[in-house]
Amino acid sequence: AEEVGGGDKEVVREYFNNTGFQRWKKIYGESTEGVNKVQLDIRIGHAKTVENTIAMLKDGGPLAGVTICDAGCGTGSLSIPLAREGAIVSASDISAAMVAEAQERAKEALGGAARLPVFQVSDLESLKGKYDTVVCLDVLIHYPQNKADGMIAHLASLAERRLLLSFAPKTFYYSLLKRIGELFPGPSKATRAYLHSEKDVERALEKVGWKISKRGLVTTQFYFSRLIEAVPAQ
Ligand code: SAM
């Protein structure tokens, strides 16, 4: 029997191997060809989230030799700069297309100059092992809160020192809805987007003995992302 909402993951996998892959590859790329105003805005917002994540990580000390799990790595926007900092990066994504693209970009960007991230096709729920740091950026948006709790608990169980998560905060619900309405006047081209309240995320962390230690927020016109760092409560 399929668990409640279990079909969501298949839809997400399918989307990020096909239309979603094409769309996000473009948004997370460098070329402006065929990139519309909204996509450009999202690119800028996302780049800021990556930048803030790296700053938050470095705030805890240099990254050289630090093991980092980048769960839901997409095209490698975070994994690549982390590898450049000398981190030992394990990057994974549910989408094989994303992983192949990330691998390409990493080879191109890093060459022999840094230890390449180790890439793997895997949904984050199946990830095993222990890492100093676990990061999961802009993935929770694909999961309703009842699924997000389990994901958060699992990610925390992989992390020894800290977990960084970003998600679309529910406080921006109406503005996002309005903008999505402007974005998709016809039949929606996207998968469902789930916003999360910070309290719910905090509760999910508390349930497994973790607490939020740092907070950041990026908002542009079409992009909203709350970034948190969590650590074991004692
Ligand atoms: N974290 C990357 C970044 O910030 O550049 C990519 C963000 S993109 C909006 C969301 C990514 O999450 C997609 O690459 C998608 O395939 C991946 N994803 C969605 N659900 C996942 C899951 N359950 N396990 C692993 N990856 C997942």
Side-chain angles (χ1 to χ4, degrees):
E2 187 160 62
E3 51 187 316
V4 179
D8 274 353
K9 194 147 91 182
E10 278 320 305
V11 173
V12 168
R13 190 199 315 269
E14 160 76 17
Y15 171 74
F16 280 107
N17 271 317
N18 298 287
T19 48
F21 173 64
Q22 296 306 333
R23 177 168 194 264
W24 288 99
K25 173 173 89 165
K26 203 162 70 172
I27 292 175
Y28 293 159
E30 278 167 10
S31 161
T32 49
E33 210 182 297
V35 179
N36 66 37
K37 187 174 138 266
V38 172
Q39 292 170 333
L40 208 56
D41 177 86
I42 295 172
R43 175 187 291 179
I44 291 164
H46 172 259
K48 191 78 196 142
T49 290
V50 170
E51 192 186 304
N52 290 354
T53 300
I54 294 169
M56 222 182 237
L57 289 172
K58 283 168 95 172
D59 201 39
L63 300 179
V66 174
T67 53
I68 303 181
C69 164
D70 181 10
C73 66
T75 58
S77 306
L78 176 70
S79 284
I80 294 167
L82 290 181
R84 202 176 275 128
E85 291 288 330
I88 302 166
V89 182
S90 301
S92 55
D93 198 283
I94 196 172
S95 156
M98 285 290 186
V99 170
E101 177 72 18
Q103 216 151 12
E104 276 293 295
R105 288 189 186 187
K107 257 190 250 152
E108 201 169 305
L110 300 168
R115 179 203 288 249
L116 291 178
V118 173
F119 290 99
Q120 180 190 177
V121 180
S122 171
D123 59 86
L124 61 87
E125 296 85 346
S126 314
L127 291 174
K128 293 194 174 63
K130 285 278 182 198
Y131 306 87
D132 175 272
T133 301
V134 175
V135 186
C136 185
L137 298 187
D138 294 1
V139 177
L140 277 175
I141 189 156
H142 306 296
Y143 293 84
Q145 189 60 41
N146 69 334
K147 288 269 156 189
D149 276 30
M151 290 169 73
I152 291 169
H154 183 61
L155 291 173
S157 80
L158 303 172
E160 279 165 343
R161 176 159 56 133
R162 59 192 168 180
L163 167 63
L164 271 72
L165 280 175
S166 76
F167 55 93
K170 223 173 207 164
T171 35
F172 290 94
Y173 182 63
Y174 289 106
S175 40
L176 194 65
L177 252 198
K178 187 176 163 287
R179 281 156 198 195
I180 284 175
E182 288 164 3
L183 268 181
F184 303 112
S188 173
K189 296 184 209 88
T191 52
R192 276 199 66 173
Y194 297 96
L195 308 181
H196 298 275
S197 89
E198 206 168 323
K199 268 275 151 260
D200 288 343
V201 172
E202 197 160 16
R203 254 193 296 271
L205 286 162
E206 276 165 7
K207 263 199 288 188
V208 292
W210 285 59
K211 60 166 195 229
I212 295 179
S213 43
K214 285 175 195 159
R215 294 167 213 260
L217 178 70
V218 171
T219 72
T220 63
Q221 223 183 333
F222 296 100
Y223 177 93
F224 305 90
S225 195
R226 164 66 82 200
L227 174 67
I228 56 137
E229 179 197 75
V231 295
Q234 74 270 321

